[in-house]
Amino acid sequence: MRTFLYSICLFCFLTNSCFAQINPAIESFVSGFTRPVKVTHAGDDRLFVAEIGGRIKIVRNGAILPAPFLDIGGKINDPDWAGIFSIVFASDYQASGSFYVMYVVKSLTEVQISRFSRSAANADLADPNSEVKILTIPYENVLGGHRGGDMAFGKDGFLYISTGDNGPGSRGVAGDPNNNSQNMGKLFGKLLKLDTSSPTPGDNPLEKIFALGLRNPWRFSFDRSTGDLWLGDNGQDGWEEINYLTYPFAGAVSNFGWNCLEGPQTYNISHCTPGTTYIPPKLTYPGFTNNGGIDVSVMGGYVYRGSRYPSLVGYYFFGDYASGKIGYIDPAGTATLDIGLNYSSLVSFGEDQSGELYVVSFLSGTLSKLTNPDDPLPVKLVFFKGIEREGSQFLEWRTLFETNFHRFEVQRSRDGRKFESVDSVNSHGNGYTYSVPISSPVIENDYYRLKMVDLDNSYQYSSIISIKTARRSAEPFVFPNPVNGLFRVGGLRKGDNISMYSVSGVLMVSKSAVSDLDINFILKNRPAGIYTIIIENENSGFLRKLKLSKD
């Protein structure tokens, strides 16, 4: 079978007890990818989706940007099954621009971990020539699979990398016959821990083995709140498993047992070392030969730490590639394995900057959100828009209902990506129409959204709207110039204030424009020289200074 199929082995669901009454659902988000394998964020509102064929694409405001962030299609082994496996962004990406890509090298049996940098000229593009090779894993079994793998930064700041055991993946054959996963002299079947702040983070990789005894750890994650490790390890024939370590991690290398053990059972007793402590899985369930071939390959997921669905907080979600089932482990540690929720060819989970969870379909090329419809919205908007009234611009919105709701935070962005709060408005109750003046707009597009904060500090965002500050039909001017008597000021807008200052800087006259028509002034019996006219509009932030010469 192909390399990629050896790299994903999914799951089954056993019990039906739960910690709380939750009703997770899948909500379509965006489609149009070609064999996507990974979704993540870079510390901002964008999502980055890696396709196995070598492209990384950006999703912004629910749409795929036309140009790929990175395209290394010419470097990968197989655009269908053996290309990009994982991507991860440095925790300081907004400053450093560094991110990491794991891919299978063209015409070789190597897995490459490389660092790339974003383009200096465009934040939505990476520099394809910036590749720095960090670590190369030269797999030995050309026809075999189990090359891993995944990457994630832990709470301790280290980069963790999972690798497969390089064993055969066919049904009915002996798994990991060379005992690679238990061999500390090889990188196969391991979890590595690299210090990316080092000038040479991949040097002496055998010294960076954090855990061993893994078969094919295709997806793992760290709980963003606690730092705990959750790892899905694909089983050989009989069992699928989720492994777990509590943070902070012990100093000793952890051993998850493969291939002495598979799940709860002994697999190859000749590969067991007397006196060794094997860490038992957090969860095991019947694999291919124990469930009639229905559930095959476990997809490790994430602990939900978002704010949109409070009842999901602390639940670990995982899934199965073959059956598409999604299950969870609740905060008390009880697994609910078949919740009636399916997602075709589920190949990966991911989370955005806010901790909301997503699921990726490999063959369908879709990205969807994990939701919980039973969690009520703190507020429902009837509309949210920008308006202009009497020469001034406002944001207006109306609510249909507000439940246990606290406040709106008005957020503005110059580029539609990075938002800052510019105002805060407390709740006024159901059916209220809110109106907030727009302060200091620029003469270009501004982007606005509402951060709607509940009483328990959970929140959600409104849709993003774009407001283009109205441009003047003409720039303000004085005519004639120079002048000896009557002159007019034009290019005005209703609400402008026009002030004229003498040669010595003393205010002579001030008028307000009640329409967009020109205003006449008389300048006579005054000394010759340069007079100053200032046009300003405090509602729009507009300001112009004109010079007028008197003969």
Side-chain angles (χ1 to χ4, degrees):
M1 296 178 69
R2 299 269 194 164
T3 298
F4 178 70
L5 289 182
Y6 296 141
S7 302
I8 51 178
C9 296
L10 282 185
F11 92 135
C12 179
F13 304 101
L14 292 178
T15 67
N16 198 29
S17 58
C18 25
F19 181 76
Q21 295 299 317
I22 65 172
N23 183 33
I26 298 295
E27 177 183 306
S28 297
F29 185 59
V30 64
S31 60
F33 299 102
T34 301
R35 294 180 177 248
V37 291
K38 182 78 174 182
V39 58
T40 187
H41 67 91
D44 55 36
D45 288 342
R46 297 172 296 174
L47 289 173
F48 293 76
V49 179
E51 297 177 334
I52 202 164
R55 290 174 297 274
I56 301 173
K57 296 181 178 179
I58 294 177
V59 177
R60 180 189 293 144
N61 299 332
I64 305 172
L65 298 190
F69 177 68
L70 178 69
D71 188 345
I72 57 169
K75 297 184 177 184
I76 59 106
N77 189 289
D78 180 348
D80 289 331
W81 303 107
I84 292 180
F85 279 177
S86 184
I87 59 172
V88 65
F89 289 81
S91 56
D92 66 344
Y93 173 77
Q94 296 299 319
S96 69
S98 297
F99 65 99
Y100 298 82
V101 181
M102 171 188 278
Y103 65 95
V104 183
V105 182
K106 186 174 184 178
S107 303
L108 296 173
T109 56
E110 294 178 350
V111 166
Q112 180 64 48
I113 292 90
S114 292
R115 182 176 66 236
F116 289 84
S117 299
R118 68 166 174 252
S119 166
N122 188 337
D124 289 333
L125 295 177
D127 180 357
N129 299 315
S130 64
E131 181 175 13
V132 176
K133 295 182 177 180
I134 301 299
L135 177 64
T136 303
I137 303 174
Y139 278 84
E140 300 165 348
N141 186 348
V142 178
L143 299 178
H146 301 177
R147 282 152 172 70
D150 205 2
M151 300 184 296
F153 278 95
K155 194 172 184 178
D156 53 13
F158 288 94
L159 175 62
Y160 290 78
I161 301 167
S162 64
T163 69
D165 67 5
N166 194 50
S170 299
R171 298 294 172 191
V173 302
D176 194 11
N178 297 322
N179 200 22
N180 291 329
S181 56
Q182 291 294 321
N183 187 342
M184 287 292 287
K186 292 185 177 181
L187 296 177
F188 309 138
K190 307 298 191 297
L191 193 61
L192 309 178
K193 176 182 176 181
L194 274 59
D195 181 2
T196 56
S197 67
S198 166
T200 55
D203 281 4
N204 304 313
L206 292 175
E207 298 176 3
K208 297 175 172 65
I209 294 175
F210 171 77
L212 72 158
L214 295 168
R215 180 178 179 271
N216 194 30
W218 171 247
R219 289 291 176 255
F220 70 92
S221 67
F222 295 97
D223 185 332
R224 63 162 55 193
S225 176
T226 66
D228 297 347
L229 167 70
W230 294 82
L231 184 149
D233 194 14
N234 301 161
Q236 176 68 27
D237 285 322
W239 297 92
E240 303 293 323
E241 63 185 72
I242 299 290
N243 292 297
Y244 172 84
L245 289 177
T246 303
Y247 185 83
F249 308 125
V253 175
S254 300
N255 193 330
F256 292 113
W258 173 255
N259 67 357
C260 165
L261 305 170
E262 182 192 13
Q265 296 181 338
T266 300
Y267 181 80
N268 188 336
I269 196 169
S270 67
H271 289 167
C272 299
T273 302
T276 299
T277 299
Y278 300 110
I279 298 173
K282 181 80 168 180
L283 168 70
T284 60
Y285 51 84
F288 182 82
T289 57
N290 290 332
N291 65 42
I294 297 174
D295 303 308
V296 176
S297 304
V298 65
M299 291 292 104
Y302 286 80
V303 175
Y304 180 81
R305 295 296 179 187
S307 59
R308 173 61 192 87
Y309 307 105
S311 65
L312 299 186
V313 171
Y315 282 75
Y316 173 76
F317 290 90
F318 61 101
D320 183 88
Y321 178 80
S323 67
K325 294 176 183 175
I326 293 175
Y328 58 74
I329 300 175
D330 68 27
T334 302
T336 301
L337 303 172
D338 192 349
I339 60 177
L341 189 60
N342 293 72
Y343 196 66
S344 174
S345 65
L346 194 167
V347 72
S348 190
F349 290 80
E351 61 180 354
D352 63 18
Q353 178 191 18
S354 301
E356 300 302 322
L357 297 189
Y358 297 78
V359 289
V360 181
S361 173
F362 180 64
L363 296 178
S364 299
T366 57
L367 176 65
S368 298
K369 292 181 178 181
L370 185 69
T371 68
N372 191 48
D374 288 348
D375 278 343
L377 293 170
V379 62
K380 183 174 180 61
L381 293 177
V382 177
F383 64 81
F384 174 45
K385 62 185 178 180
I387 65 168
E388 184 168 344
R389 186 169 59 240
E390 297 180 352
S392 299
Q393 290 182 305
F394 294 81
L395 293 174
E396 283 197 353
W397 65 94
R398 180 185 298 164
T399 63
L400 182 63
F401 63 81
E402 300 176 27
T403 305
N404 298 320
F405 186 62
H406 183 206
R407 70 184 186 277
F408 297 92
E409 291 183 13
V410 179
Q411 298 189 335
R412 181 175 62 191
S413 171
R414 301 304 194 197
D415 58 9
R417 298 193 302 270
K418 297 179 181 178
F419 284 83
E420 62 175 353
S421 293
V422 294
D423 206 344
S424 181
V425 182
N426 287 334
S427 169
H428 284 268
N430 298 344
Y432 188 80
T433 299
Y434 298 81
S435 183
V436 175
I438 297 176
S439 60
S440 301
V442 295
I443 305 178
E444 58 184 25
N445 282 340
D446 268 350
Y447 299 89
Y448 289 89
R449 71 182 182 187
L450 300 175
K451 181 178 181 180
M452 300 175 284
V453 185
D454 207 351
L455 289 174
D456 63 0
N457 288 322
S458 62
Y459 61 88
Q460 65 177 133
Y461 292 109
S462 72
S463 59
I464 296 172
I465 62 173
S466 175
I467 297 177
K468 188 170 185 176
T469 302
R471 293 184 179 273
R472 293 168 180 260
S473 58
E475 277 292 298
F477 63 88
V478 292
F479 182 84
N481 191 5
V483 66
N484 193 26
L486 181 70
F487 69 93
R488 60 191 174 91
V489 179
L492 300 174
R493 292 198 64 197
K494 182 179 178 181
D496 286 349
N497 187 75
I498 305 96
S499 302
M500 182 166 61
Y501 293 83
S502 69
V503 174
S504 61
V506 177
L507 177 64
M508 298 170 52
V509 63
S510 178
K511 292 185 179 182
S512 294
V514 295
S515 69
D516 294 349
L517 299 178
D518 298 355
I519 296 181
N520 293 325
F521 291 83
I522 296 177
L523 186 62
K524 64 181 181 178
N525 301 326
R526 293 284 183 175
I530 303 298
Y531 290 76
T532 301
I533 295 176
I534 294 178
I535 302 166
E536 59 184 332
N537 191 313
E538 63 180 24
N539 292 323
S540 66
F542 181 81
L543 176 68
R544 287 292 184 276
K545 183 184 291 185
L546 304 176
K547 296 295 184 181
L548 175 66
S549 176
K550 183 180 186 300
D551 295 334

